Amino acid sequence: MRILLVEDDKAIGGAVRDHASSQGHAVDWAKTLAEAGDFASVVAYELVLLDLHLPDGNGLSFLRALRDRADAVPVIVLTARDQISDRIAGLNAGADDYLVKPFNLDELSARIHAVARRYGQHVQPRLAIGPLRISPAERIVTREDRPIDLTAREWAVLDRLLSRQGAIVSKTQIEDALYELGAEVESNTVEVYVSRLRKKLGGEVITTVRGVGYRIANT
């Protein structure tokens, strides 16, 4: 997914960004509310990881601004504020989940997947495409009961295709799942990863719609 991380602590932010990136997500890291607003004005994010105590204000103001303009992007609040009243305030402001620092990065991954499933960003927890059996949440794919190993970026491409199964996904939409803001994009990156997926999953699984994009087969 394309994730906006809003966190001013360098150690925590770096750990979260690196962990999420290792899971195949593209993460843009904003260290202030102003920077987060700038990022959100040019990118349609699929998830926001939001700290509350930021140098230029309270993260809840950013969350309320999202909801006031009817932006339904899922938001997971990450904060050291562990009082019940703080959690209630976050949820009432429109947060979808609340994780208290310090937290386990694997638990964060599980919550990200849970929120993604809730909002339909994965088609279903498990699905079948011909002989393939795919569990996006668990990062497991098998072909005729034989496991297939995919890299984090191969999973990122596969996730993006599965999110619109049967529909055409443009090259730009796939690039958005692979690259953070400011990253240099190689012109043939998408083609390379689609080719790798075809070799691993089977050539019939992903169809090229020339000049438009790619489509993954239906179940």
Side-chain angles (χ1 to χ4, degrees):
M1 290 187 295
R2 189 67 179 267
I3 295 175
L4 174 60
L5 169 63
V6 189
E7 170 62 68
D8 67 316
D9 185 291
K10 292 182 178 179
I12 294 174
V16 171
R17 178 198 58 195
D18 293 346
H19 184 75
S21 296
S22 75
Q23 301 294 305
H25 304 295
V27 183
D28 295 326
W29 180 10
K31 300 175 182 66
T32 65
L33 292 178
E35 193 173 25
D38 290 341
F39 287 0
S41 69
V42 295
V43 177
Y45 290 102
E46 295 163 290
L47 179 72
V48 177
L49 301 176
L50 179 64
D51 184 26
L52 294 186
H53 185 64
L54 293 152
D56 54 346
N58 190 321
L60 289 184
S61 63
F62 178 77
L63 175 55
R64 291 190 184 102
L66 288 175
R67 299 308 185 229
D68 286 346
R69 64 173 184 261
D71 189 334
V73 59
V75 176
I76 300 177
V77 169
L78 310 177
T79 182
R81 299 179 182 179
D82 60 355
Q83 297 297 313
I84 295 297
S85 59
D86 291 322
R87 299 189 192 194
I88 292 173
L91 294 171
N92 285 343
D96 297 273
D97 202 351
Y98 201 107
L99 195 54
V100 176
K101 301 174 184 176
F103 50 80
N104 180 279
L105 290 170
D106 288 332
E107 180 182 1
L108 175 61
S109 292
R111 290 179 183 245
I112 288 173
H113 287 305
V115 169
R117 287 195 301 272
R118 196 181 311 149
Y119 279 79
Q121 292 174 20
H122 293 303
V123 180
Q124 50 190 325
R126 294 179 178 84
L127 63 154
I129 301 175
L132 293 174
R133 299 295 180 269
I134 304 172
S135 175
E138 297 173 300
R139 288 292 191 261
I140 296 173
V141 58
T142 62
R143 186 180 182 91
E144 297 174 345
D145 295 326
R146 294 191 299 273
I148 299 172
D149 292 327
L150 300 182
T151 67
R153 285 202 161 184
E154 288 166 354
W155 268 113
V157 175
L158 181 59
D159 276 341
R160 183 51 57 97
L161 293 170
L162 289 173
S163 72
R164 300 191 63 211
Q165 191 175 8
I168 298 172
V169 181
S170 71
K171 180 178 176 179
T172 299
Q173 289 172 319
I174 296 175
E175 287 174 344
D176 283 345
L178 291 172
Y179 291 101
E180 297 83 8
L181 282 172
E184 185 174 345
V185 180
E186 297 287 341
S187 61
N188 67 335
T189 297
V190 172
E191 288 84 353
V192 168
Y193 282 108
V194 169
S195 176
R196 291 179 183 175
L197 283 173
R198 282 177 172 146
K199 289 179 180 178
K200 292 182 177 183
L201 305 181
E204 74 285 358
V205 174
I206 301 172
T207 302
T208 299
V209 182
R210 193 170 300 278
V212 182
Y214 301 91
R215 178 167 49 209
I216 196 164
N218 282 311
T219 55

